[in-house]
Amino acid sequence: MTARNGGDSTAIDIAATPDRVYDLISDITRMGEWSPECIHCEWSNGADGPAVGARFKARNKGKRGPAWFNKPEVIVADRGREFAFNRSGPGIGSYTWRYRLEPTDNGTTVTESYETVRPLPKAMNWITEKWTGSPDRDADLRYGMKTTLERLQKAAEATS
């Protein structure tokens, strides 16, 4: 991830309860349904659901190049309020992804964000661009967040 601006966020209103939205977004086995880049996730290291310290294996795919894996760790698991995880490792920087849920009269406002905790090393920027097939990683991440929230909205509202 080449995040030059340190992070970004976007929000959407969903006509479903915060608990319903949380249950969908924190079920990382369904992340491939929401995200245009994350194509598969599964709990790992004995985890079987969202809890602080739980790890999962994520498989992502860009516009070209092979898929890549990472093993994020859940750092916030507060049902109906917030779900967050951190992805970090040698040579890949450190990024926190967060979903904050605010109740509204008609359901929930969901804000998805990412924060650059430790940027990708400069030597990796070129490799990331080739791997993902895009010279503008910030735009890719913004598109991904908007798409993820729109797909989440559709699923949550269909089952509410």
Side-chain angles (χ1 to χ4, degrees):
M1 295 167 115
T2 305
R4 290 171 292 282
N5 66 9
D8 197 3
S9 67
T10 189
I12 196 168
D13 290 326
I14 298 178
T17 67
D19 284 350
R20 172 67 182 143
V21 174
Y22 178 90
D23 290 346
L24 289 171
I25 202 64
S26 67
D27 180 357
I28 57 84
T29 64
R30 296 190 68 184
M31 191 59 77
E33 295 175 46
W34 326 132
S35 171
E37 185 171 283
C38 182
I39 56 177
H40 179 79
C41 285
E42 61 188 47
W43 294 108
S44 63
N45 298 358
D48 62 1
V52 173
R55 287 202 169 267
F56 57 95
K57 185 175 182 181
R59 182 174 183 223
N60 293 11
K61 179 97 170 86
K63 294 176 185 169
R64 65 174 179 230
W68 66 92
F69 295 91
N70 56 77
K71 282 187 89 174
E73 179 179 358
V74 175
I75 60 171
V76 179
D78 188 359
R79 187 167 190 253
R81 299 179 136 198
E82 183 176 354
F83 179 68
F85 54 88
N86 182 267
R87 192 219 72 185
S88 63
I92 63 170
S94 179
Y95 302 87
T96 297
W97 289 88
R98 193 174 304 279
Y99 299 87
R100 286 198 170 118
L101 313 174
E102 295 289 331
T104 66
D105 291 342
N106 298 319
T108 308
T109 297
V110 182
T111 302
E112 180 179 2
S113 65
Y114 73 91
E115 174 190 359
T116 304
V117 179
R118 187 180 69 248
L120 183 71
K122 289 184 185 209
M124 292 295 294
N125 287 335
W126 182 84
I127 293 170
T128 300
E129 181 179 322
K130 298 303 174 196
W131 204 310
T132 63
S134 173
D136 190 346
R137 193 68 178 129
D138 293 335
D140 293 343
L141 296 175
R142 182 139 186 86
Y143 167 79
M145 288 189 299
K146 290 177 81 57
T147 301
T148 296
L149 291 181
E150 289 167 357
R151 291 174 178 173
L152 177 66
Q153 176 188 44
K154 185 175 180 181
E157 291 178 352
T159 58
S160 288

